[in-house]
Amino acid sequence: MIRRIVLALAVAQASAKVFFEETFDKDIGKRWTVSEWKDADSTGKWVHTPGEWFVESAKKEAHGMQASEDMKFHSISAPLDKKASTTDGTLVVQFTVKHEKKDYAFCGGGYIKLLPGKVDAKAFGGDTPYSIMFGPDLCGYDVSRIHLIFEHNGENLLKEDEIKLDYADKDEFTHLYTLVLEKDGSYEVFLDQDSKAQGNIVDGWAFPDKEIKDPEVSKPEDWVDTKKIPDPEAVKPDGYDDIPAEIPDPEAEQPEDWDAEEDGEWEPPMIDNPDYKGEWKAPMIDNPDY
């Protein structure tokens, strides 16, 4: 059940321009249009209610808009009071949700979608294009996250790493979800005013890079890619090639029972020569042309 929705643009530290606010104090209201994108048998009813349980002294404030039927499609929309933009200041999307029938087998979400331009409210459904989708996605033990999806050039971009919810967050109580989106692309997501994720949208979603390689520029023919080169002034030491790779083991001794007539002349076993450095190569130096 959604209780309170606020969409605002912070234009200064002490003021904000509110594009949309809904408290459901009286009823769902005429501003909301129920979608007919599914047939009547598949469409669930929206009701104005405080839910099955609430604080009696705050019954009025407890009212919200509830998706009342299980296994049905619930889609509803309302136009903003004013046109909103993420380029004029800090955009804030905030709403509360209560999943009061939540149990271990519960699967459900409470998303808000910000739709671009004019939308046929009667046809609003799962395939309707949107600019931002934000809200909880819960299902049993396995799924517990906050969805934050941005549209870019007709593609819905999911966050590359999920905004995880703790198991304790998956309960039947009311929770406050907040998205703060700055005009420079930085963002922060809060649950009950506790930060759950922050950063910049170009780092967490598959947005194009701010800069691209100039397609008109080609690599110069004399461009040098080699960082290191052999030192042209280095000289191989005299006698370097005369050093053998193996030498007789100087610590080896002929066995006492060795019989030269039967066993042949005794020779010590060969071992790696510690003075052998392998094939001589000039040391590498920084390439002055790199």
mmCIF file of all heavy atoms in Angstrom, residues 10-46:
data_model
loop_
_atom_site.group_PDB
_atom_site.id
_atom_site.type_symbol
_atom_site.label_atom_id
_atom_site.label_comp_id
_atom_site.label_asym_id
_atom_site.label_seq_id
_atom_site.Cartn_x
_atom_site.Cartn_y
_atom_site.Cartn_z
ATOM 1 N N ALA A 10 14.772 20.484 -5.554
ATOM 2 C CA ALA A 10 15.379 21.388 -4.583
ATOM 3 C C ALA A 10 16.168 22.456 -5.337
ATOM 4 O O ALA A 10 17.148 22.164 -6.010
ATOM 5 C CB ALA A 10 16.302 20.616 -3.645
ATOM 6 N N VAL A 11 15.722 23.701 -5.224
ATOM 7 C CA VAL A 11 16.370 24.790 -5.952
ATOM 8 C C VAL A 11 17.255 25.624 -5.043
ATOM 9 O O VAL A 11 18.011 26.457 -5.511
ATOM 10 C CB VAL A 11 15.314 25.696 -6.614
ATOM 11 C CG1 VAL A 11 14.587 24.933 -7.702
ATOM 12 C CG2 VAL A 11 14.311 26.231 -5.589
ATOM 13 N N ALA A 12 17.174 25.439 -3.765
ATOM 14 C CA ALA A 12 18.043 26.103 -2.802
ATOM 15 C C ALA A 12 17.994 25.297 -1.521
ATOM 16 O O ALA A 12 17.163 24.404 -1.357
ATOM 17 C CB ALA A 12 17.584 27.545 -2.552
ATOM 18 N N GLN A 13 18.889 25.619 -0.593
ATOM 19 C CA GLN A 13 18.963 24.837 0.633
ATOM 20 C C GLN A 13 17.669 24.905 1.435
ATOM 21 O O GLN A 13 17.326 23.990 2.152
ATOM 22 C CB GLN A 13 20.140 25.325 1.482
ATOM 23 C CG GLN A 13 21.498 24.961 0.879
ATOM 24 C CD GLN A 13 22.626 25.326 1.807
ATOM 25 O OE1 GLN A 13 22.426 26.098 2.745
ATOM 26 N NE2 GLN A 13 23.799 24.800 1.552
ATOM 27 N N ALA A 14 16.964 25.998 1.354
ATOM 28 C CA ALA A 14 15.794 26.184 2.207
ATOM 29 C C ALA A 14 14.476 26.174 1.446
ATOM 30 O O ALA A 14 13.436 26.481 2.010
ATOM 31 C CB ALA A 14 15.926 27.489 2.990
ATOM 32 N N SER A 15 14.487 25.825 0.165
ATOM 33 C CA SER A 15 13.256 25.842 -0.608
ATOM 34 C C SER A 15 13.265 24.735 -1.642
ATOM 35 O O SER A 15 14.305 24.198 -1.977
ATOM 36 C CB SER A 15 13.076 27.201 -1.308
ATOM 37 O OG SER A 15 14.100 27.402 -2.266
ATOM 38 N N ALA A 16 12.068 24.397 -2.143
ATOM 39 C CA ALA A 16 11.944 23.355 -3.143
ATOM 40 C C ALA A 16 10.696 23.612 -3.968
ATOM 41 O O ALA A 16 9.704 24.150 -3.471
ATOM 42 C CB ALA A 16 11.879 21.982 -2.495
ATOM 43 N N LYS A 17 10.756 23.226 -5.231
ATOM 44 C CA LYS A 17 9.602 23.297 -6.118
ATOM 45 C C LYS A 17 8.964 21.915 -6.144
ATOM 46 O O LYS A 17 9.609 20.929 -6.510
ATOM 47 C CB LYS A 17 10.029 23.711 -7.524
ATOM 48 C CG LYS A 17 8.869 23.839 -8.506
ATOM 49 C CD LYS A 17 9.384 24.048 -9.922
ATOM 50 C CE LYS A 17 10.115 25.386 -10.066
ATOM 51 N NZ LYS A 17 10.534 25.612 -11.461
ATOM 52 N N VAL A 18 7.717 21.824 -5.737
ATOM 53 C CA VAL A 18 7.031 20.540 -5.663
ATOM 54 C C VAL A 18 6.263 20.305 -6.959
ATOM 55 O O VAL A 18 5.409 21.104 -7.345
ATOM 56 C CB VAL A 18 6.070 20.492 -4.454
ATOM 57 C CG1 VAL A 18 5.319 19.166 -4.438
ATOM 58 C CG2 VAL A 18 6.840 20.695 -3.153
ATOM 59 N N PHE A 19 6.568 19.203 -7.623
ATOM 60 C CA PHE A 19 5.896 18.857 -8.878
ATOM 61 C C PHE A 19 4.682 17.966 -8.641
ATOM 62 O O PHE A 19 3.758 17.954 -9.448
ATOM 63 C CB PHE A 19 6.869 18.132 -9.813
ATOM 64 C CG PHE A 19 8.082 18.940 -10.173
ATOM 65 C CD1 PHE A 19 9.306 18.672 -9.585
ATOM 66 C CD2 PHE A 19 8.009 19.967 -11.084
ATOM 67 C CE1 PHE A 19 10.424 19.405 -9.911
ATOM 68 C CE2 PHE A 19 9.118 20.716 -11.418
ATOM 69 C CZ PHE A 19 10.325 20.435 -10.827
ATOM 70 N N PHE A 20 4.730 17.212 -7.556
ATOM 71 C CA PHE A 20 3.637 16.283 -7.291
ATOM 72 C C PHE A 20 3.675 15.919 -5.805
ATOM 73 O O PHE A 20 4.717 15.600 -5.258
ATOM 74 C CB PHE A 20 3.794 15.008 -8.135
ATOM 75 C CG PHE A 20 2.635 14.060 -8.047
ATOM 76 C CD1 PHE A 20 1.574 14.156 -8.922
ATOM 77 C CD2 PHE A 20 2.607 13.061 -7.079
ATOM 78 C CE1 PHE A 20 0.498 13.278 -8.845
ATOM 79 C CE2 PHE A 20 1.549 12.181 -6.988
ATOM 80 C CZ PHE A 20 0.490 12.293 -7.873
ATOM 81 N N GLU A 21 2.506 15.950 -5.175
ATOM 82 C CA GLU A 21 2.407 15.516 -3.788
ATOM 83 C C GLU A 21 1.041 14.887 -3.576
ATOM 84 O O GLU A 21 0.030 15.434 -3.987
ATOM 85 C CB GLU A 21 2.599 16.679 -2.815
ATOM 86 C CG GLU A 21 2.554 16.243 -1.350
ATOM 87 C CD GLU A 21 2.870 17.370 -0.388
ATOM 88 O OE1 GLU A 21 2.904 18.535 -0.835
ATOM 89 O OE2 GLU A 21 3.085 17.087 0.807
ATOM 90 N N GLU A 22 1.028 13.732 -2.950
ATOM 91 C CA GLU A 22 -0.210 13.003 -2.686
ATOM 92 C C GLU A 22 -0.130 12.403 -1.286
ATOM 93 O O GLU A 22 0.804 11.648 -0.972
ATOM 94 C CB GLU A 22 -0.413 11.898 -3.722
ATOM 95 C CG GLU A 22 -1.645 11.056 -3.513
ATOM 96 C CD GLU A 22 -2.939 11.851 -3.672
ATOM 97 O OE1 GLU A 22 -3.386 12.033 -4.817
ATOM 98 O OE2 GLU A 22 -3.468 12.299 -2.624
ATOM 99 N N THR A 23 -1.100 12.749 -0.446
ATOM 100 C CA THR A 23 -1.133 12.231 0.924
ATOM 101 C C THR A 23 -2.285 11.269 1.158
ATOM 102 O O THR A 23 -2.336 10.619 2.204
ATOM 103 C CB THR A 23 -1.233 13.387 1.926
ATOM 104 O OG1 THR A 23 -2.440 14.118 1.671
ATOM 105 C CG2 THR A 23 -0.027 14.312 1.809
ATOM 106 N N PHE A 24 -3.252 11.198 0.238
ATOM 107 C CA PHE A 24 -4.410 10.302 0.350
ATOM 108 C C PHE A 24 -5.214 10.563 1.623
ATOM 109 O O PHE A 24 -5.767 9.634 2.215
ATOM 110 C CB PHE A 24 -3.971 8.833 0.288
ATOM 111 C CG PHE A 24 -3.228 8.467 -0.962
ATOM 112 C CD1 PHE A 24 -1.854 8.264 -0.932
ATOM 113 C CD2 PHE A 24 -3.891 8.340 -2.167
ATOM 114 C CE1 PHE A 24 -1.157 7.930 -2.084
ATOM 115 C CE2 PHE A 24 -3.213 7.998 -3.329
ATOM 116 C CZ PHE A 24 -1.840 7.796 -3.287
ATOM 117 N N ASP A 25 -5.287 11.809 2.048
ATOM 118 C CA ASP A 25 -6.026 12.146 3.271
ATOM 119 C C ASP A 25 -7.526 11.871 3.122
ATOM 120 O O ASP A 25 -8.186 11.441 4.074
ATOM 121 C CB ASP A 25 -5.814 13.614 3.638
ATOM 122 C CG ASP A 25 -4.405 13.872 4.143
ATOM 123 O OD1 ASP A 25 -3.735 12.890 4.518
ATOM 124 O OD2 ASP A 25 -3.975 15.037 4.158
ATOM 125 N N LYS A 26 -8.070 12.137 1.933
ATOM 126 C CA LYS A 26 -9.515 11.997 1.725
ATOM 127 C C LYS A 26 -9.859 10.726 0.961
ATOM 128 O O LYS A 26 -10.590 9.868 1.438
ATOM 129 C CB LYS A 26 -10.046 13.231 1.002
ATOM 130 C CG LYS A 26 -9.885 14.518 1.803
ATOM 131 C CD LYS A 26 -10.438 15.704 1.045
ATOM 132 C CE LYS A 26 -10.286 17.006 1.850
ATOM 133 N NZ LYS A 26 -10.815 18.180 1.117
ATOM 134 N N ASP A 27 -9.360 10.635 -0.259
ATOM 135 C CA ASP A 27 -9.590 9.431 -1.053
ATOM 136 C C ASP A 27 -8.517 9.380 -2.135
ATOM 137 O O ASP A 27 -7.589 10.184 -2.129
ATOM 138 C CB ASP A 27 -11.002 9.417 -1.657
ATOM 139 C CG ASP A 27 -11.298 10.702 -2.429
ATOM 140 O OD1 ASP A 27 -10.356 11.273 -3.027
ATOM 141 O OD2 ASP A 27 -12.467 11.139 -2.424
ATOM 142 N N ILE A 28 -8.640 8.421 -3.042
ATOM 143 C CA ILE A 28 -7.650 8.328 -4.116
ATOM 144 C C ILE A 28 -7.734 9.539 -5.025
ATOM 145 O O ILE A 28 -6.727 10.043 -5.497
ATOM 146 C CB ILE A 28 -7.842 7.013 -4.902
ATOM 147 C CG1 ILE A 28 -7.515 5.821 -3.987
ATOM 148 C CG2 ILE A 28 -6.949 6.980 -6.141
ATOM 149 C CD1 ILE A 28 -7.704 4.481 -4.620
ATOM 150 N N GLY A 29 -8.906 10.048 -5.267
ATOM 151 C CA GLY A 29 -9.049 11.300 -5.988
ATOM 152 C C GLY A 29 -9.157 11.151 -7.493
ATOM 153 O O GLY A 29 -8.750 10.141 -8.088
ATOM 154 N N LYS A 30 -9.703 12.195 -8.104
ATOM 155 C CA LYS A 30 -9.943 12.181 -9.544
ATOM 156 C C LYS A 30 -8.658 12.335 -10.351
ATOM 157 O O LYS A 30 -8.657 12.078 -11.561
ATOM 158 C CB LYS A 30 -10.927 13.288 -9.917
ATOM 159 C CG LYS A 30 -12.318 13.092 -9.336
ATOM 160 C CD LYS A 30 -13.251 14.202 -9.761
ATOM 161 C CE LYS A 30 -14.652 14.006 -9.182
ATOM 162 N NZ LYS A 30 -15.570 15.106 -9.587
ATOM 163 N N ARG A 31 -7.587 12.803 -9.693
ATOM 164 C CA ARG A 31 -6.339 12.990 -10.436
ATOM 165 C C ARG A 31 -5.766 11.654 -10.904
ATOM 166 O O ARG A 31 -4.969 11.598 -11.844
ATOM 167 C CB ARG A 31 -5.317 13.721 -9.560
ATOM 168 C CG ARG A 31 -4.754 12.870 -8.437
ATOM 169 C CD ARG A 31 -3.966 13.647 -7.404
ATOM 170 N NE ARG A 31 -2.858 14.385 -7.961
ATOM 171 C CZ ARG A 31 -1.999 15.086 -7.220
ATOM 172 N NH1 ARG A 31 -2.153 15.134 -5.887
ATOM 173 N NH2 ARG A 31 -1.005 15.729 -7.774
ATOM 174 N N TRP A 32 -6.175 10.559 -10.252
ATOM 175 C CA TRP A 32 -5.657 9.236 -10.578
ATOM 176 C C TRP A 32 -6.559 8.536 -11.584
ATOM 177 O O TRP A 32 -7.768 8.547 -11.467
ATOM 178 C CB TRP A 32 -5.541 8.377 -9.326
ATOM 179 C CG TRP A 32 -4.497 8.878 -8.365
ATOM 180 C CD1 TRP A 32 -4.692 9.735 -7.323
ATOM 181 C CD2 TRP A 32 -3.106 8.563 -8.380
ATOM 182 N NE1 TRP A 32 -3.506 9.977 -6.671
ATOM 183 C CE2 TRP A 32 -2.506 9.256 -7.306
ATOM 184 C CE3 TRP A 32 -2.306 7.758 -9.186
ATOM 185 C CZ2 TRP A 32 -1.157 9.183 -7.029
ATOM 186 C CZ3 TRP A 32 -0.949 7.671 -8.905
ATOM 187 C CH2 TRP A 32 -0.391 8.368 -7.837
ATOM 188 N N THR A 33 -5.942 7.894 -12.585
ATOM 189 C CA THR A 33 -6.670 7.141 -13.607
ATOM 190 C C THR A 33 -6.241 5.679 -13.562
ATOM 191 O O THR A 33 -5.045 5.373 -13.688
ATOM 192 C CB THR A 33 -6.390 7.703 -15.012
ATOM 193 O OG1 THR A 33 -6.781 9.077 -15.057
ATOM 194 C CG2 THR A 33 -7.159 6.916 -16.070
ATOM 195 N N VAL A 34 -7.219 4.805 -13.366
ATOM 196 C CA VAL A 34 -6.926 3.374 -13.348
ATOM 197 C C VAL A 34 -6.747 2.875 -14.780
ATOM 198 O O VAL A 34 -7.558 3.167 -15.657
ATOM 199 C CB VAL A 34 -8.057 2.589 -12.647
ATOM 200 C CG1 VAL A 34 -7.775 1.091 -12.692
ATOM 201 C CG2 VAL A 34 -8.211 3.066 -11.205
ATOM 202 N N SER A 35 -5.690 2.133 -15.005
ATOM 203 C CA SER A 35 -5.402 1.626 -16.345
ATOM 204 C C SER A 35 -6.345 0.489 -16.728
ATOM 205 O O SER A 35 -6.784 -0.292 -15.879
ATOM 206 C CB SER A 35 -3.955 1.143 -16.426
ATOM 207 O OG SER A 35 -3.705 0.527 -17.678
ATOM 208 N N GLU A 36 -6.618 0.408 -18.026
ATOM 209 C CA GLU A 36 -7.431 -0.673 -18.575
ATOM 210 C C GLU A 36 -6.639 -1.520 -19.564
ATOM 211 O O GLU A 36 -7.193 -2.119 -20.482
ATOM 212 C CB GLU A 36 -8.669 -0.083 -19.260
ATOM 213 C CG GLU A 36 -9.574 0.700 -18.298
ATOM 214 C CD GLU A 36 -10.734 1.374 -19.009
ATOM 215 O OE1 GLU A 36 -10.774 1.303 -20.274
ATOM 216 O OE2 GLU A 36 -11.584 1.978 -18.331
ATOM 217 N N TRP A 37 -5.308 -1.560 -19.343
ATOM 218 C CA TRP A 37 -4.471 -2.291 -20.304
ATOM 219 C C TRP A 37 -4.674 -3.800 -20.229
ATOM 220 O O TRP A 37 -4.313 -4.527 -21.146
ATOM 221 C CB TRP A 37 -2.999 -1.929 -20.102
ATOM 222 C CG TRP A 37 -2.343 -2.512 -18.877
ATOM 223 C CD1 TRP A 37 -2.675 -2.274 -17.591
ATOM 224 C CD2 TRP A 37 -1.232 -3.413 -18.854
ATOM 225 N NE1 TRP A 37 -1.841 -2.966 -16.747
ATOM 226 C CE2 TRP A 37 -0.932 -3.671 -17.485
ATOM 227 C CE3 TRP A 37 -0.440 -4.014 -19.825
ATOM 228 C CZ2 TRP A 37 0.096 -4.512 -17.076
ATOM 229 C CZ3 TRP A 37 0.597 -4.858 -19.424
ATOM 230 C CH2 TRP A 37 0.858 -5.089 -18.067
ATOM 231 N N LYS A 38 -5.272 -4.290 -19.119
ATOM 232 C CA LYS A 38 -5.643 -5.692 -19.008
ATOM 233 C C LYS A 38 -7.171 -5.793 -18.937
ATOM 234 O O LYS A 38 -7.859 -4.829 -18.598
ATOM 235 C CB LYS A 38 -5.029 -6.314 -17.757
ATOM 236 C CG LYS A 38 -3.509 -6.438 -17.799
ATOM 237 C CD LYS A 38 -3.061 -7.448 -18.838
ATOM 238 C CE LYS A 38 -1.556 -7.628 -18.830
ATOM 239 N NZ LYS A 38 -1.090 -8.634 -19.817
ATOM 240 N N ASP A 39 -7.690 -6.974 -19.267
ATOM 241 C CA ASP A 39 -9.140 -7.146 -19.222
ATOM 242 C C ASP A 39 -9.638 -7.056 -17.786
ATOM 243 O O ASP A 39 -8.871 -7.153 -16.821
ATOM 244 C CB ASP A 39 -9.546 -8.473 -19.860
ATOM 245 C CG ASP A 39 -8.928 -9.667 -19.149
ATOM 246 O OD1 ASP A 39 -9.338 -9.964 -18.015
ATOM 247 O OD2 ASP A 39 -8.014 -10.285 -19.732
ATOM 248 N N ALA A 40 -10.948 -6.901 -17.633
ATOM 249 C CA ALA A 40 -11.543 -6.656 -16.317
ATOM 250 C C ALA A 40 -11.257 -7.782 -15.331
ATOM 251 O O ALA A 40 -11.047 -7.536 -14.132
ATOM 252 C CB ALA A 40 -13.052 -6.455 -16.464
ATOM 253 N N ASP A 41 -11.250 -9.022 -15.814
ATOM 254 C CA ASP A 41 -11.015 -10.153 -14.910
ATOM 255 C C ASP A 41 -9.578 -10.188 -14.387
ATOM 256 O O ASP A 41 -9.321 -10.771 -13.329
ATOM 257 C CB ASP A 41 -11.324 -11.471 -15.625
ATOM 258 C CG ASP A 41 -12.813 -11.625 -15.906
ATOM 259 O OD1 ASP A 41 -13.611 -10.980 -15.200
ATOM 260 O OD2 ASP A 41 -13.161 -12.376 -16.841
ATOM 261 N N SER A 42 -8.644 -9.573 -15.136
ATOM 262 C CA SER A 42 -7.234 -9.603 -14.746
ATOM 263 C C SER A 42 -6.815 -8.357 -13.973
ATOM 264 O O SER A 42 -5.703 -8.309 -13.444
ATOM 265 C CB SER A 42 -6.339 -9.737 -15.992
ATOM 266 O OG SER A 42 -6.658 -10.903 -16.722
ATOM 267 N N THR A 43 -7.702 -7.360 -13.929
ATOM 268 C CA THR A 43 -7.360 -6.084 -13.306
ATOM 269 C C THR A 43 -7.832 -6.037 -11.858
ATOM 270 O O THR A 43 -9.001 -6.297 -11.566
ATOM 271 C CB THR A 43 -7.983 -4.918 -14.089
ATOM 272 O OG1 THR A 43 -7.501 -4.947 -15.442
ATOM 273 C CG2 THR A 43 -7.630 -3.590 -13.447
ATOM 274 N N GLY A 44 -6.920 -5.722 -10.965
ATOM 275 C CA GLY A 44 -7.265 -5.614 -9.559
ATOM 276 C C GLY A 44 -7.792 -4.235 -9.204
ATOM 277 O O GLY A 44 -7.599 -3.260 -9.936
ATOM 278 N N LYS A 45 -8.463 -4.134 -8.069
ATOM 279 C CA LYS A 45 -9.064 -2.875 -7.633
ATOM 280 C C LYS A 45 -8.131 -2.126 -6.678
ATOM 281 O O LYS A 45 -7.454 -2.715 -5.839
ATOM 282 C CB LYS A 45 -10.396 -3.152 -6.925
ATOM 283 C CG LYS A 45 -11.469 -3.719 -7.834
ATOM 284 C CD LYS A 45 -12.771 -3.934 -7.072
ATOM 285 C CE LYS A 45 -13.866 -4.494 -7.984
ATOM 286 N NZ LYS A 45 -15.134 -4.716 -7.247
ATOM 287 N N TRP A 46 -8.144 -0.795 -6.845
ATOM 288 C CA TRP A 46 -7.439 0.085 -5.923
ATOM 289 C C TRP A 46 -8.448 0.595 -4.889
ATOM 290 O O TRP A 46 -9.547 1.005 -5.249
ATOM 291 C CB TRP A 46 -6.832 1.271 -6.667
ATOM 292 C CG TRP A 46 -5.723 0.904 -7.600
ATOM 293 C CD1 TRP A 46 -5.820 0.607 -8.923
ATOM 294 C CD2 TRP A 46 -4.341 0.787 -7.270
ATOM 295 N NE1 TRP A 46 -4.599 0.309 -9.454
ATOM 296 C CE2 TRP A 46 -3.653 0.413 -8.455
ATOM 297 C CE3 TRP A 46 -3.615 0.947 -6.089
ATOM 298 C CZ2 TRP A 46 -2.283 0.218 -8.488
ATOM 299 C CZ3 TRP A 46 -2.229 0.751 -6.133
ATOM 300 C CH2 TRP A 46 -1.585 0.394 -7.314
#
